[in-house]
Amino acid sequence: MCGIVAYVGYRNAVRVCIQGLAELEYRGYDASGIVFVANGTLEVVKELGRPENLRKKFVDGLPNSRIAIAHNRWATHGVNNIENAHPHSDCEGIIFLAHNGIIENACGLRENLSLRDHRFKSTTDTEIIAHLIEESNKVVGLEEAVRTVLAGISGSYALVIISKKEPEKIIAARNGSSLWLGMGNGEFFVASEPSAMLAFTKSALPLVDGDIAVIENGSLVISDARGERVHREFRNVTWNVEEAKREGYAHYTLKEIFQGPEAVGNSIFDRIKEGRPACADDSKLREKIRRARRIVSSACGTALYSLELGKYFIEQYAKLPVEVEIASEFYTKNSIIDVGDVFLTVSQSGETLDTLEALRLAQSKGAFSVSIVNKMGTVIPSISDIAIFQNIGREVGVASTKSFLSQAAILLLLSLEFAKIRETLVEDMEEILQGLKNVPALMRKVLAQSENVRALSTQYSHFHNFLYLGRKFNLPVAFEGALKLKELSYVHAEAYGAGEMKHGPLALIDKDFPTMAIAPRDSVYEKVISNIEEIKTRGGPLIAIATEGDERIGRLADHVLYIPETHEALSPFLTASILQLFAYYVALDRGCDIDTPRNLAKSITVA
Ligand code: AGP
């Protein structure tokens, strides 16, 4: 998740942009850069780290420019270095642009451009757009060139573009990544979100997917995806800066729950090629997985439950045994692991000390290590033999939400990749991969019922205990859902295998002890139904998560939340989304400090 700021008007454009980047720092601060018009030409300055580092590059003071484009980078595609910092330009240094999003067909486009002798300075997907505009702009005007190029791009983008040939013009375009315009007295702003411009103007408008805005000589023209000119109303943004950073969501946690679909899309981006999983294309890994007797895995908290779900995927599809261990136990007991094992870990922050110690123990015993991590440049990926990045941008809320879904998506792809390596036949691989590509759309459908979830959560927010039940792929989801409820709302929640209830926990059930039962129509549905009947005969309140159209469960449960029909291995993405919403709204109703729950921190660097 990167930050974009652009300005044209009477103020010092470099100052406005760097100040705006500082407001967007939470979105990403691996590197920042700016291109501005000075003495009739374009000048570019870039620096690693925070926007303050960029400001310090202007040792003789900020140049007096009236138009500039600037960018904060959260490294996803392309390591974090100066060359990969935005803005990016074409071969001749005429077109400059900054981008937030992911270009899905970047590889093919880059190959074709290279065949036409384009020379690349970075390894980013963004730079490709500048070269494409360069080519098209030799034949048609800049706006037409931008439109033509964007029509040939698949993926998400928020873009700001400037050309040395037309230095008074800024072009802004959005598709799938938010981009706002701001207007002042004879001045215009472009930013990833309103917080970057609230210090200068409260008059803002969000561009719509497909929009292209052209700002020149104090005028603004917006055209839509069809190329038709449209009028969009500027509104008076009443948010304060913090609210603007949340783009109107009440909490980062809610914003990040709703970013779940985009997170899954970004995590699987470019990792399914010609209908095959392609997320760990490494010869050493292939050799290790081919020979491995088992996988030993270890992590903490939500990441641990991701691995529990990954265990089901890998054992179901690659037929490879997976041990899952709590990291703080794994490295304190004399764990059995050796050179024949592959060690798999997951960590959103890449810094969790318990997980790091487990990784170090595994490596000390000769195991080959694979880590799935969100934050680049952190310890865990830097010492792993293989690091797979989640590419979902920063997760601000202490409770892990979009990150769990992202990790699950990568683990599902890995399970199919391992099956391919071990030549284990997965008959429904194509159905799973096609379904996985469609998961973000189904998740959006689930999230669209958030008001139903909210209404239900207020009926259950007074309870002090909860039981979460699941089976097979949804047992790890039950554990993750219970953790969300605990850490967001401080309500005690216990997760259990639905079939395990009768061996003791059933004694807990009475009218004051509700149950959340995850019961999609899958291979264990009938078993879960009988477990639910055990709950109901003891008078326990029961919420079921069920597949759309399932009327039978409606006769059993007190309340039902529905998910769309999907392959059973994909239902966790939908059930987990509902449980995240449920925990959020219970916490909201209980007046909890949702983004920063008591006693907790986002990254636990103590053991
Ligand atoms: C989950 O919501 C919590 N924030 C916590 O359990 C977290 O998952 C755990 O500390 C591991 O963090 P990591 O993924 O950054 O390693």
Side-chain angles (χ1 to χ4, degrees):
M1 184 168 67
C2 303
I4 288 173
V5 185
Y7 176 77
V8 55
Y10 65 91
R11 304 174 199 257
N12 181 313
V14 176
R15 180 183 311 285
V16 169
C17 285
I18 292 179
Q19 187 172 328
L21 289 185
E23 289 300 346
L24 301 183
E25 193 170 307
Y26 83 95
R27 291 170 70 99
Y29 41 77
D30 290 321
S32 54
I34 189 168
V35 60
F36 55 93
V37 176
N39 311 316
T41 184
L42 295 182
E43 291 191 29
V44 187
V45 178
K46 300 180 179 181
E47 183 57 287
L48 295 175
R50 322 177 79 98
E52 179 57 20
N53 298 353
L54 179 67
R55 194 192 59 74
K56 287 176 183 168
K57 293 280 278 186
F58 295 94
V59 291
D60 300 327
L62 298 179
N64 192 11
S65 170
R66 295 283 171 265
I67 183 168
I69 284 177
H71 182 273
N72 273 349
R73 185 169 186 245
W74 168 287
T76 52
H77 294 80
V79 295
N80 181 34
N81 59 24
I82 287 283
E83 292 74 20
N84 285 337
H86 302 215
H88 289 292
S89 65
D90 62 331
C91 301
E92 309 304 326
I94 291 173
I95 306 289
F96 285 83
L97 50 82
H99 167 231
N100 184 29
I102 286 185
I103 306 304
E104 293 178 352
N105 55 340
C107 286
L109 292 171
R110 188 186 190 98
E111 282 166 19
N112 293 338
L113 285 163
S114 299
L115 291 174
R116 297 196 295 272
D117 298 329
H118 282 265
R119 301 176 307 284
F120 290 93
K121 299 179 274 297
S122 80
T123 56
T124 65
D125 53 348
T126 301
E127 187 187 348
I128 293 159
I129 305 171
H131 292 274
L132 290 169
I133 294 172
E134 170 197 1
E135 275 189 349
S136 184
N137 193 204
K138 286 184 174 126
V139 179
V140 295
L142 184 58
E143 289 109 274
E144 196 48 44
V146 170
R147 180 171 298 287
T148 305
V149 167
L150 296 183
I153 272 172
S154 62
S156 59
Y157 55 79
L159 270 174
V160 282
I161 303 155
I162 193 169
S163 167
K164 192 180 283 186
K165 289 191 286 187
E166 303 178 60
E168 294 308 310
K169 183 182 287 183
I170 288 180
I171 296 180
R174 84 151 267 173
N175 188 53
S177 288
S178 64
L179 195 63
W180 290 69
L181 299 186
M183 181 169 64
N185 180 15
E187 57 184 356
F188 284 101
F189 305 77
V190 187
S192 301
E193 56 187 62
S195 60
M197 45 192 176
L198 284 184
F200 308 103
T201 179
K202 290 188 178 299
S203 175
L205 75 81
L207 289 178
V208 170
D209 282 355
D211 279 359
I212 295 179
V214 180
I215 302 167
E216 185 178 21
N217 299 327
S219 74
L220 165 66
V221 175
I222 302 176
S223 54
D224 64 14
R226 296 186 308 276
E228 303 290 322
R229 189 166 175 171
V230 288
H231 176 70
R232 299 214 188 282
E233 282 297 327
F234 279 87
R235 61 177 85 161
N236 184 37
V237 173
T238 56
W239 298 329
N240 62 36
V241 170
E242 266 313 300
E243 288 164 336
K245 285 179 182 176
R246 298 191 298 264
E247 292 185 72
Y249 287 99
H251 298 94
Y252 284 111
T253 302
L254 187 60
K255 176 179 177 182
E256 287 155 359
I257 289 171
F258 277 86
Q259 285 180 333
E262 183 185 355
V264 169
N266 288 346
S267 294
I268 64 174
F269 155 71
D270 208 24
R271 289 172 169 162
I272 300 175
K273 291 177 179 168
E274 289 102 45
R276 317 274 293 171
C279 68
D281 188 16
D282 178 276
S283 57
K284 195 114 185 335
L285 177 61
R286 279 197 295 275
E287 179 226 333
K288 292 291 183 179
I289 287 296
R290 199 174 290 124
R291 296 183 177 177
R293 299 188 307 276
R294 62 176 183 160
I295 290 176
V296 178
S297 65
S298 188
C300 304
T302 290
L304 175 67
Y305 300 139
S306 302
L307 284 174
E308 292 285 3
L309 181 53
K311 170 186 173 73
Y312 277 93
F313 290 150
I314 295 169
E315 293 186 349
Q316 174 87 16
Y317 298 118
K319 303 293 184 260
L320 184 56
V322 178
E323 313 278 345
V324 181
E325 302 229 25
I326 297 172
S328 52
E329 288 299 307
F330 181 75
Y331 73 86
T332 48
K333 66 185 173 69
N334 187 21
S335 295
I336 299 168
I337 185 168
D338 65 27
V339 69
D341 295 324
V342 171
F343 180 80
L344 174 64
T345 190
V346 172
S347 176
Q348 190 284 133
S349 63
E351 300 282 2
T352 302
L353 186 53
D354 285 329
T355 305
L356 179 59
E357 291 302 330
L359 173 58
R360 285 181 169 141
L361 174 72
Q363 291 180 324
S364 71
K365 297 195 172 186
F368 186 81
S369 56
V370 182
S371 62
I372 298 170
V373 177
N374 189 32
K375 183 74 179 85
M376 280 184 156
T378 50
V379 177
I380 289 173
S382 66
I383 67 169
S384 298
D385 293 304
I386 300 275
I388 300 170
F389 290 101
Q390 297 178 230
N391 301 333
I392 62 171
R394 194 168 168 220
E395 186 174 64
V396 178
V398 165
S400 183
T401 48
K402 64 178 181 177
S403 188
F404 174 75
L405 297 157
S406 152
Q407 291 159 3
I410 292 172
L411 285 161
L412 178 54
L413 283 179
L414 264 185
S415 72
L416 298 173
E417 182 96 35
F418 292 170
K420 192 176 70 171
I421 293 167
R422 295 171 67 88
E423 296 175 2
T424 306
L425 176 64
V426 179
E427 287 177 3
D428 46 357
M429 179 179 297
E430 189 176 340
E431 182 191 354
I432 295 170
L433 290 174
Q434 200 48 48
L436 182 55
K437 284 181 182 174
N438 191 41
V439 153
L442 295 182
M443 288 169 67
R444 288 188 182 94
K445 197 175 171 191
V446 165
L447 293 171
Q449 58 177 319
S450 62
E451 283 312 307
N452 293 345
V453 180
R454 178 172 194 165
L456 187 57
S457 64
T458 55
Q459 296 181 55
Y460 282 83
S461 59
H462 65 282
F463 287 106
H464 299 292
N465 295 288
F466 242 101
L467 190 63
Y468 278 59
L469 299 183
R471 287 184 90 120
K472 201 172 177 184
F473 296 116
N474 278 295
L475 176 53
V477 175
F479 278 92
E480 171 53 18
L483 175 61
K484 284 291 94 53
L485 192 68
K486 283 181 274 203
E487 61 177 331
L488 287 177
S489 70
Y490 316 151
V491 170
H492 169 247
E494 197 164 345
Y496 252 90
E500 188 61 9
M501 281 297 300
K502 51 190 174 296
H503 301 291
L506 200 54
L508 291 169
I509 300 302
D510 62 21
K511 64 180 177 48
D512 297 320
F513 206 120
T515 296
M516 176 75 77
I518 308 173
R521 208 191 298 283
D522 58 13
S523 58
V524 291
Y525 173 76
E526 291 300 335
K527 296 263 185 219
V528 175
I529 288 289
S530 59
N531 301 145
I532 285 174
E533 284 162 346
E534 292 163 14
I535 300 280
K536 286 313 295 171
T537 51
R538 272 86 180 169
L542 187 127
I543 303 171
I545 300 179
T547 302
E548 283 169 355
D550 182 351
E551 293 172 4
R552 178 180 170 193
I553 208 154
R555 294 192 290 275
L556 264 179
D558 298 293
H559 297 94
V560 183
L561 293 168
Y562 286 101
I563 62 170
E565 178 94 36
T566 187
H567 188 285
E568 71 171 333
L570 302 173
S571 68
F573 297 97
L574 310 183
T575 55
S577 297
I578 283 192
L579 294 180
Q580 289 175 1
L581 276 178
F582 183 78
Y584 173 82
Y585 285 120
V586 169
L588 188 67
D589 210 47
R590 293 171 67 94
C592 296
D593 185 358
I594 292 174
D595 284 335
T596 50
R598 67 185 182 194
N599 313 334
L600 301 180
K602 186 61 183 171
S603 173
I604 313 294
T605 53
V606 293

